[in-house]
């Protein structure tokens, strides 16, 4: 089970923490040094894809020289995003690595990235009040 605690901090900001002690500062788009909730969602999509693609390409002896991505989406309504686009930026170790990378990236996108799949399939979000 995944679990994250989100709380208001003493300085009036917000932070998310996990059981392993990692912390992310959260705020509005006009604040420096913080992620907005939408940026965190996009980071989760990118993170899920990239941490899955990396070991799978390396296991096939095609470890990418450089592996980066941009994840973006625009709001289509006040509180709704349009399609999320993941754009890879890679440097291949050889031309024959392209087919391996593309096959792995497509498979990860379609089957193995929990975050992307949950968004695509419309995972229910439940609210529990005290």
């Amino acid at each position: 089970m995944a679990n994250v605690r989100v709380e208001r901090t003493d300085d009036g900001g917000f932070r998310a923490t996990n059981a392993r002690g990692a912390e992310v500062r959260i705020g509005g788009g006009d604040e420096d040094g913080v992620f907005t909730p939408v940026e965190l969602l996009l980071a989760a999509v990118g993170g899920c894809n990239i941490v899955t693609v990396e070991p799978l390409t390396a296991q096939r002896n095609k470890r990418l020289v450089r592996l980066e991505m941009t994840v973006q989406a625009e709001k289509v309504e006040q509180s709704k995003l349009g399609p999320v686009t993941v754009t890879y930026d890679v440097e291949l170790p050889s031309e024959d690595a392209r087919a391996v990378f593309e096959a792995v990236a497509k498979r990860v996108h379609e089957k193995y990235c929990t975050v992307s799949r949950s968004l695509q399939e419309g995972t229910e979000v439940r609210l529990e009040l005290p």
Side-chain angles (χ1 to χ4, degrees):
M1 172 182 249
N3 186 326
V4 175
R5 181 168 184 82
V6 181
E7 62 187 333
R8 187 185 65 229
T9 59
D10 291 338
D11 64 1
F14 300 92
R15 79 170 155 233
T17 56
N18 66 18
R20 295 176 309 283
E23 179 179 304
V24 176
R25 293 183 54 215
I26 304 169
D30 57 344
E31 298 175 62
D32 291 333
V34 300
F35 281 93
T36 68
V38 170
E39 289 168 339
L40 288 172
L41 177 71
L42 299 178
V45 169
C48 184
N49 277 276
I50 208 166
V51 302
T52 309
V53 165
E54 167 62 19
L56 292 175
T57 54
Q59 286 172 4
R60 289 158 177 78
N61 294 319
K62 305 296 182 194
R63 184 180 182 102
L64 302 171
V65 176
R66 182 175 40 78
L67 174 58
E68 300 174 10
M69 64 173 45
T70 301
V71 185
Q72 60 188 40
E74 292 186 23
K75 283 190 175 182
V76 293
E77 294 177 21
Q78 176 76 17
S79 58
K80 184 178 178 188
L81 290 178
V84 175
T85 302
V86 176
T87 305
Y88 280 91
D89 183 9
V90 301
E91 183 178 339
L92 302 167
S94 61
E95 191 52 40
D96 65 322
R98 179 174 304 283
V100 171
F101 163 68
E102 288 178 359
V104 167
K106 287 177 184 176
R107 198 166 40 255
V108 167
H109 173 73
E110 293 168 358
K111 295 183 180 181
Y112 299 115
C113 177
T114 303
V115 178
S116 294
R117 290 193 66 225
S118 295
L119 286 174
Q120 288 175 328
E121 295 178 14
T123 297
E124 178 183 359
V125 178
R126 298 181 183 146
L127 176 64
E128 293 185 10
L129 299 172

